[in-house]
Amino acid sequence: VRIANMALRWCKRTLGVNKRKKYQPIWSVRRAYGDDICGEYDHDDNEVLIYWDNIDDVDELLRTCIHEWTHQTQPIRTKYFKYPGSYSRNPYERQARYAEKKWLPVLWEYINNRINKTKCKSKQQSI
């Protein structure tokens, strides 16, 4: 949960927010309700939802955060559902998958530096 919150704060700063919304996006990191999805974006509430118990590792967690945050920046309500066909061929899904590939190494470095910095501080305090 801590890593997800760090990743989502990074996404907000780096990827930005959808300026067409009347209020700032929010996020929740919670247990899933039974589906096997790792996350989703609720365009009605402008909320990014991350389901931690459906995520196998940190890599998948970071990719999910980037993917769902990318949806937050897209015109989901007005344009996403205008593309018939498969999920994988939707241009907004393609854009979100591209964002995962583009930003994952940068986010990994940020998270790694933050976690290692915290570990170093706690080791120094215990000495």
Side-chain angles (χ1 to χ4, degrees), residues 64-109:
T64 300
C65 290
I66 294 168
H67 184 100
E68 299 308 333
W69 195 270
T70 300
H71 285 319
Q72 183 277 139
T73 66
Q74 299 168 330
I76 298 295
R77 183 178 297 192
T78 58
K79 297 184 179 176
Y80 181 92
F81 299 103
K82 290 184 178 183
Y83 294 94
S86 71
Y87 170 86
S88 63
R89 294 184 55 91
N90 185 299
Y92 294 105
E93 289 301 329
R94 288 180 173 194
Q95 183 183 23
R97 284 192 301 276
Y98 174 76
E100 289 178 43
K101 291 178 187 172
K102 177 181 177 181
W103 293 109
L104 183 61
V106 179
L107 180 53
W108 255 116
E109 183 177 342

Side-chain angles (χ1 to χ4, degrees), residues 2 5 7 11 17-18 29 35 40 51 53-55 60 62 66 71-72 78 82 92 97-100 109 114 117 126:
R2 180 174 159 235
N5 283 320
C11 286
V17 297
N18 185 335
V29 182
D35 292 333
E40 63 184 320
Y51 302 117
D53 56 333
N54 286 346
I55 296 174
E60 185 174 27
L62 299 182
I66 294 168
H71 285 319
Q72 183 277 139
T78 58
K82 290 184 178 183
Y92 294 105
R97 284 192 301 276
Y98 174 76
E100 289 178 43
E109 183 177 342
R114 297 279 307 221
K117 189 176 185 180
S126 65

